[in-house]
Amino acid sequence: MKSCFGCGKIVLTKNETFYVTRKSAIRNKEKVMADTKQQWYKDAKYGLFIHWGLYSILAGEWKDPKTGEVTKTDRIAEWIENNLNIDKEDYRKLKDEFHPDKFDADMFVKRAKEQWGVKYIVLTSKHHEGFAMYDSKVSDFNVVKAAGRDILRELSDACKKYDMTMGMLYTQGFSYKLFGRSSAYGVILLVLGVVLSLITNHLFREDKDLAM
């Protein structure tokens, strides 16, 4: 398992790197394009991006528990809560239906590498719905509380076992209320803290991997 994408930067695509400000991104554009630290990614070409969360249960279709009305989304399924304006509390109840009993990370990664030729795997550790696929320390709305399993941890361990490069997608809506008020700055600090924790606790194999 390689250290992580981007050697200290957060790589979004093979030619783009996320910087804190738009100005710095523009200023460093030529440097990013010329950067060869992501050469392994360019050489890998074939990876597996796994979108998995509560929206997977719905498969693009929502039945309103109050009216019984069934509505299908004509957009991407992971945005169904937002696109269909589903009541937040009704949506959160889906966690009680999330049972990843048949998921075998070891078998999945082994087949991905040996049979499918996959060079790296990326998992949605948390998508826009806010359901964490790991043992979140900032919210009980997570897979460990719901199903008793840390999916990100299981997949990470399997990737380490089979020397598969792994990455994660983490998204965070600006909805946290910190210190009694909404704070964009506070959310940014929270996200940075969560992502750093996820990287160090789930993606890296040894302390030496943290040298970026």
Side-chain angles (χ1 to χ4, degrees):
M1 180 180 176
K2 299 176 180 64
S3 295
C4 192
F5 294 173
C7 299
K9 304 182 185 72
I10 302 175
V11 177
L12 302 181
T13 71
K14 65 181 180 181
N15 292 322
E16 297 284 342
T17 300
F18 173 79
Y19 288 85
V20 175
T21 67
R22 177 179 174 82
K23 182 177 180 180
S24 64
I26 296 174
R27 185 172 63 247
N28 289 283
K29 183 176 181 180
E30 292 184 2
K31 180 181 178 181
V32 173
M33 296 297 288
D35 193 355
T36 59
K37 292 180 180 179
Q38 295 86 35
Q39 189 61 47
W40 71 267
Y41 177 67
K42 299 171 185 176
D43 294 338
K45 300 182 185 299
Y46 182 43
L48 181 62
F49 198 160
I50 306 170
H51 277 65
W52 192 14
L54 299 184
Y55 46 83
S56 304
I57 299 172
L58 301 178
E61 185 175 291
W62 172 253
K63 182 177 181 179
D64 191 307
K66 298 181 180 68
T67 66
E69 181 181 1
V70 176
T71 307
K72 294 183 178 181
T73 180
D74 58 356
R75 303 179 185 180
I76 52 179
E78 56 266 31
W79 278 86
I80 189 170
E81 179 187 13
N82 180 73
N83 292 335
L84 297 187
N85 295 313
I86 298 173
D87 180 80
K88 181 179 179 180
E89 294 306 315
D90 287 338
Y91 189 87
R92 289 176 71 91
K93 292 176 182 178
L94 288 173
K95 63 181 175 47
D96 299 325
E97 301 178 32
F98 194 77
H99 307 297
D101 302 329
K102 297 183 179 180
F103 177 66
D104 184 334
D106 192 278
M107 180 187 71
F108 188 85
V109 175
K110 187 174 188 294
R111 292 185 63 183
K113 182 170 185 175
E114 298 178 359
Q115 298 180 25
W116 309 336
V118 169
K119 304 301 183 183
Y120 63 91
I121 293 175
V122 179
L123 173 71
T124 51
S125 64
K126 180 189 283 190
H127 214 289
H128 307 293
E129 63 181 5
F131 185 69
M133 297 293 283
Y134 57 90
D135 189 11
S136 173
K137 305 304 180 185
V138 298
S139 171
D140 288 340
F141 193 47
N142 66 73
V143 68
V144 177
K145 290 292 191 297
R149 297 178 61 177
D150 188 331
I151 299 299
L152 182 61
R153 168 69 65 190
E154 293 177 24
L155 191 63
S156 175
D157 288 346
C159 284
K160 293 170 186 175
K161 178 179 178 179
Y162 294 103
D163 196 30
M164 174 73 75
T165 297
M166 180 178 172
M168 64 178 182
L169 176 145
Y170 178 93
T171 58
Q172 178 62 63
F174 285 83
S175 58
Y176 279 96
K177 289 187 179 296
L178 303 176
F179 310 110
R181 63 185 179 85
S182 295
S183 168
Y185 179 69
V187 172
I188 292 173
L189 292 179
L190 175 62
V191 170
L192 289 176
V194 171
V195 171
L196 179 59
S197 175
L198 284 173
I199 291 174
T200 55
N201 294 323
H202 285 77
L203 296 189
F204 287 104
R205 183 163 36 186
E206 300 173 359
D207 290 341
K208 65 182 179 62
D209 288 331
L210 297 178
M212 297 183 179

